[in-house]
Amino acid sequence: AQSVTQLGSHVSVSEGALVLLRCNYSSSVPPYLFWYVQYPNQGLQLLLKYTTGATLVKGINGFEAEFNKSQTSFHLRKPSVHISDTAEYFCAVSQRRALTFGSGTRLQVQP
Amino acid sequence: SQTIHQWPATLVQPVGSPLSLECTVEGTSNPNLYWYRQAAGRGLQLLFYSVGIGQISSEVPQNLSASRPQDRQFILSSKKLLLSDSGFYLCAWSVSRDYGYTFGSGTRLTVV
């Protein structure tokens, strides 16, 4: 069975700072991993995904994530956040039929 | 290009009333379809998924049901709503395990 743990339900940073959102997974098969962003009262938008190949994955809006098999992690980071990055972020692992999501991390970017 | 439509955007329903939420996908054939619920302060809970017309798998026993009458149509229903059915309902589609999901814009359901 697969599961996803996101450490830190709320993260607050200043605009321009580096942000790191943590995600650890467990999977009995080679994992496919995803990060999604959700703005208030909207659906989820795909930021990036890891399937195979290079472990550093670049996504939209300047976000990137690194797949670390030995640590079973897929942390998301952005070198310099903007106020518009304020949103909730979800890590997910692909099961055979459906994605399993973490509980989410709410990112607040302060001016 | 592929698009997903979900409606209504918001809904306020009394306890005991029926529910029907509809989701349609355009631009793809035989997608996998999903219904998720997001309750306040909680993550996303998979409710139902479907790999084809008339094929529905339920993940969580509950007061809800789903149907797929057409290839690109997915409906979430209830005969009698409970207060605990309140939440943000999201429909999504996918074509393969490594593809990821494309989500609809969601329906905010408040049961009063």
Side-chain angles (χ1 to χ4, degrees):
Chain A
Q2 287 90 349
S3 68
V4 179
T5 301
Q6 291 185 241
L7 297 176
S9 59
H10 289 83
V11 172
S12 183
V13 298
S14 298
E15 189 175 24
L18 165 73
V19 68
L20 179 70
L21 304 183
R22 298 178 184 275
C23 172
N24 288 88
Y25 69 91
S26 66
S27 177
S28 56
V29 297
Y32 293 161
L33 296 159
F34 305 81
W35 274 100
Y36 285 84
V37 60
Q38 185 181 31
Y39 299 101
N41 294 311
Q42 295 186 27
L44 278 71
Q45 180 183 7
L46 181 65
L47 275 177
L48 48 79
K49 64 180 179 181
Y50 170 80
T51 54
T52 59
T55 57
L56 180 62
V57 180
K58 293 189 182 296
I60 62 171
N61 301 339
F63 284 92
E64 60 185 27
E66 187 157 17
F67 170 62
N68 188 316
K69 184 177 180 180
S70 63
Q71 297 186 7
T72 61
S73 67
F74 190 55
H75 301 331
L76 180 72
R77 63 174 177 258
K78 183 170 181 177
S80 177
V81 292
H82 190 268
I83 288 177
S84 60
D85 293 321
T86 294
E88 188 153 20
Y89 293 80
F90 292 92
C91 182
V93 62
S94 178
Q95 293 181 288
R96 187 172 63 91
R97 292 292 193 188
L99 290 181
T100 296
F101 287 86
S103 56
T105 297
R106 190 171 299 277
L107 173 64
Q108 178 72 45
V109 181
Q110 307 286 352
Chain B
S1 63
Q2 301 94 348
T3 56
I4 179 169
H5 303 281
Q6 192 179 339
W7 68 93
T10 59
L11 194 58
V12 179
Q13 292 285 97
V15 169
S17 64
L19 173 73
S20 180
L21 302 181
E22 189 163 343
C23 173
T24 59
V25 179
E26 296 178 358
T28 186
S29 297
N30 196 31
N32 297 327
L33 296 172
Y34 307 86
W35 279 111
Y36 280 83
R37 178 170 60 198
Q38 190 175 22
R42 301 177 65 180
L44 285 87
Q45 179 186 36
L46 178 65
L47 302 176
F48 302 94
Y49 68 88
S50 172
V51 298
I53 295 174
Q55 301 179 60
I56 307 296
S57 296
S58 174
E59 290 294 302
V60 181
Q62 59 213 325
N63 186 42
L64 303 169
S65 62
S67 62
R68 186 171 177 173
Q70 300 180 44
D71 180 45
R72 290 170 287 178
Q73 184 185 30
F74 205 24
I75 298 172
L76 182 69
S77 304
S78 174
K79 292 182 179 179
K80 290 184 178 181
L81 284 169
L82 305 173
L83 286 173
S84 58
D85 291 324
S86 293
F88 193 51
Y89 289 82
L90 290 159
C91 180
W93 71 271
S94 182
V95 293
S96 63
R97 185 175 163 242
D98 63 343
Y99 185 83
Y101 290 5
T102 299
F103 282 87
S105 54
T107 295
R108 173 76 58 192
L109 172 65
T110 304
V111 182
V112 296

